[in-house]
Amino acid sequence: MTDGFGRLLIARFVGFRLLPGQIVALAALGLIFFGACLLMLPFATHPGVDISFLDALFTATSAVCVTGLIVVDTPHDFTLFGQGVVLGLIQIGGLGYALMATMILLILGRRLGLRDRMMLSESMNTMDLQGLVRFVKLVAMITFGLEGLGAVLLTLRFAVELPWGTAAYYGIFHSISAFNNAGFALFSDSFKSFQTDWSINGIITILVIFGSIGFFVFEDLLGNLRGQRFRLQTHTKLVLVTTALLIVGGTIGITILEWNNPSTFQSASIGKKLTISYFHSVSRTAGFTSIDIVDMRDATLYFLLLLMAIGGSPGSMAGGLKTTTAAIVFLTIINMLRRDRDVEVFNRRIPQDLITRALCFTVLAIVMITGMTLLLDSTESQPFLFLMFEITSAMGIVGMSLGNGETLSLSALFTDFGKVMIMLSMLLGRFGPLMIGLFAVKTAVSKPYRYAKARVIIG
């Protein structure tokens, strides 16, 4: 009787006080805390390494939010167990706790209720409940399939220089980190030692791109290949075109801006310049580096900052404003300049509510990045551009950083307050859009009247 009454109270509390999106966010916070506790265990770090709980919490937050900002040297300070904890947090954080839990339930043969489907759909950035279980299976197949293939290819490459066991471990770790756009590496200098190695550059960047375009694109592409659909959806076209333009434009932009920089590109061949530029253009969503980006010109750093702010695509491992949002804002500006009635792309009209949301998300992103940077500037003794770069990297869950002069992120030099602000930025970047989406999808209250139009002069 008492047990049944307790379950009823819990059910009522969960059912009426917590929305599915809030459950996802709270579960992520629980996972972060649990991961931090595991990283505090004596056998998680090497002897002599003193890690505070705040640094462990920062590392766990960065892993779950698949960001890659580090205040502890992953390969040298953490043991194999500690690195395994980080890798597990990356995998769960990348796929989303709800997706992982659903996969377990499916394996056990349990059917999903409406609440389970709502929680899953919100964690994966979609409100379509139809075909959700099939979509989950597709996500699992793509994720583990591409991670497995990447691990095999990287293992074969690393085996040229390392023992097979070590090569396999490095292959698995970096494949998962790359596909999840996490930016964690088992090399203290990230990929600086492989800046002209096309096999490493190619495998890593392809995994990053696949992880950043979104599973909706994969579903649409596979549907067309199987003959289930006869044309690509507008979303897929917009993602693919925008992603290609960002990669090509980013590569050209970085190359031009750094062409005569004596600290980076001046003495490099054209092929090396393009390789390094391409790597960082792709890594705008993942945070891997192949040169010391602190040596880049301020103009290049700001250009990278803008690329990081845009980030990846909806329903992907990457964060940021999202490619489709940036594309809609750009198309809206073009539409305004042309004075066209509708915003159109690929012979389709963009609904007005999507335009409004895209503009709102853009303004919110600018306000949050600016506000957090101003806040950090009052507590941290670092150049303003460096602070904005770190905040954008954290909020875009990228992980690229100007560093502390050694092997760690700039955040390692921050005060405890500064580190907390970076952790909050990572959480906002990962779960902020989900929480905003909860309000965006609610049906507005219908009023029985409408006010007369107001005339306001702008511009």
Side-chain angles (χ1 to χ4, degrees):
M1 178 72 176
T2 304
D3 184 55
F5 180 70
R7 286 200 300 269
L8 179 61
L9 286 178
I10 294 174
R12 289 180 62 84
F13 176 79
V14 174
F16 292 97
R17 298 296 179 87
L18 293 179
L19 296 171
Q22 294 171 327
I23 296 175
V24 173
L26 289 175
L29 292 176
L31 179 64
I32 289 171
F33 183 79
F34 178 68
C37 292
L38 290 179
L39 293 176
M40 286 296 295
L41 295 174
F43 45 85
T45 54
H46 289 292
V49 176
D50 185 20
I51 179 173
S52 66
F53 183 74
L54 181 62
D55 287 346
L57 195 65
F58 187 103
T59 303
T61 303
S62 184
V64 171
C65 295
V66 290
T67 306
L69 293 175
I70 58 172
V71 292
V72 178
D73 192 359
T74 308
H76 290 157
D77 292 342
F78 286 123
T79 62
L80 190 63
F81 172 81
Q83 294 170 12
V85 171
V86 171
L87 188 62
L89 294 176
I90 290 172
Q91 186 71 87
I92 298 174
L95 277 176
Y97 113 92
L99 176 58
M100 294 291 287
T102 302
M103 288 169 55
I104 294 174
L105 293 176
L106 291 175
I107 292 173
L108 296 176
R110 174 184 158 182
R111 297 186 61 183
L112 300 181
L114 178 60
R115 186 172 185 78
D116 298 323
R117 292 172 183 267
M118 289 179 62
M119 184 169 58
L120 178 61
S121 65
E122 288 175 9
S123 71
M124 297 178 67
N125 199 23
T126 173
M127 292 307 298
D128 186 6
L129 300 180
Q130 295 182 351
L132 197 55
V133 174
R134 177 181 55 80
F135 185 66
V136 167
K137 294 177 180 178
L138 176 66
V139 169
M141 179 187 70
I142 293 172
T143 299
F144 297 126
L146 290 177
E147 286 179 352
L149 179 59
V152 171
L153 294 176
L154 287 174
T155 298
L156 293 175
R157 170 59 186 86
F158 289 135
V160 176
E161 303 167 354
L162 301 171
W164 276 103
T166 305
Y169 174 60
Y170 274 47
I172 294 171
F173 189 100
H174 291 103
S175 179
I176 293 175
S177 182
F179 183 77
N180 286 275
N181 284 234
F184 281 87
L186 295 179
F187 306 104
S188 295
D189 62 353
S190 193
F191 286 95
K192 296 182 181 68
S193 302
F194 304 96
Q195 61 181 214
T196 57
D197 189 318
W198 261 105
S199 59
I200 295 291
N201 279 261
I203 297 169
I204 293 295
T205 53
I206 289 174
L207 285 171
V208 170
I209 293 171
F210 282 162
S212 68
I213 61 175
F215 294 107
F216 309 124
V217 173
F218 279 111
E219 182 186 34
D220 192 28
L221 290 173
L222 290 175
N224 278 269
L225 289 174
R226 293 171 179 170
Q228 299 170 343
R229 298 175 182 173
F230 301 101
R231 66 175 60 182
L232 293 177
Q233 296 180 4
T234 303
H235 171 84
T236 301
K237 295 178 183 178
L238 197 59
V239 166
L240 294 178
V241 171
T242 306
T243 300
L245 289 175
L246 287 172
I247 293 175
V248 174
T251 301
I252 295 174
I254 294 172
T255 303
I256 293 175
L257 291 171
E258 288 296 304
W259 188 269
N260 292 321
N261 187 348
S263 301
T264 55
F265 279 12
Q266 190 174 49
S267 60
S269 64
I270 296 178
K272 185 176 181 179
K273 291 176 180 178
L274 291 174
T275 301
I276 295 174
S277 298
Y278 162 75
F279 186 88
H280 288 84
S281 179
V282 172
S283 196
R284 76 187 189 281
T285 63
F288 296 115
T289 57
S290 62
I291 61 172
D292 290 320
I293 61 173
V294 70
D295 295 328
M296 288 181 170
R297 292 192 171 103
D298 287 352
T300 314
L301 292 177
Y302 191 74
F303 182 65
L304 265 177
L305 185 151
L306 295 177
L307 292 177
M308 291 193 303
I310 295 174
S313 302
S316 73
M317 307 300 190
L321 188 60
K322 298 296 187 293
T323 54
T324 49
T325 302
I328 290 175
V329 171
F330 176 77
L331 291 170
T332 302
I333 294 173
I334 298 298
N335 169 265
M336 182 192 70
L337 295 176
R338 291 178 175 176
R339 295 186 179 275
D340 291 336
R341 183 176 61 179
D342 296 318
V343 177
E344 300 172 344
V345 61
F346 305 121
N347 297 320
R348 290 292 186 272
R349 175 173 55 86
I350 304 297
Q352 184 59 46
D353 65 318
L354 286 183
I355 297 173
T356 303
R357 290 176 62 184
L359 292 172
C360 288
F361 285 154
T362 302
V363 172
L364 281 174
I366 294 173
V367 170
M368 287 193 293
I369 290 174
T370 303
M372 295 294 268
T373 304
L374 292 174
L375 190 60
L376 275 186
D377 189 55
S378 64
T379 62
E380 311 301 324
S381 56
Q382 298 293 332
F384 188 81
L385 179 59
F386 284 30
L387 294 175
M388 178 171 282
F389 195 95
E390 194 82 356
I391 284 292
T392 305
S393 182
M395 202 158 287
I397 57 173
V398 178
M400 201 174 288
S401 177
L402 298 176
N404 68 335
E406 297 178 357
T407 59
L408 307 179
S409 300
L410 186 67
S411 299
L413 297 177
F414 288 177
T415 61
D416 289 350
F417 175 81
K419 291 179 181 178
V420 171
M421 289 298 100
I422 294 296
M423 285 191 288
L424 180 60
S425 297
M426 289 189 284
L427 289 169
L428 285 173
R430 187 61 174 164
F431 301 104
L434 185 150
M435 301 308 294
I436 293 174
L438 290 177
F439 297 97
V441 298
K442 288 182 178 179
T443 304
V445 178
S446 179
K447 296 180 179 179
Y449 58 88
R450 295 182 71 185
Y451 290 113
K453 289 183 179 180
R455 295 192 62 184
V456 180
I457 300 174
I458 61 174

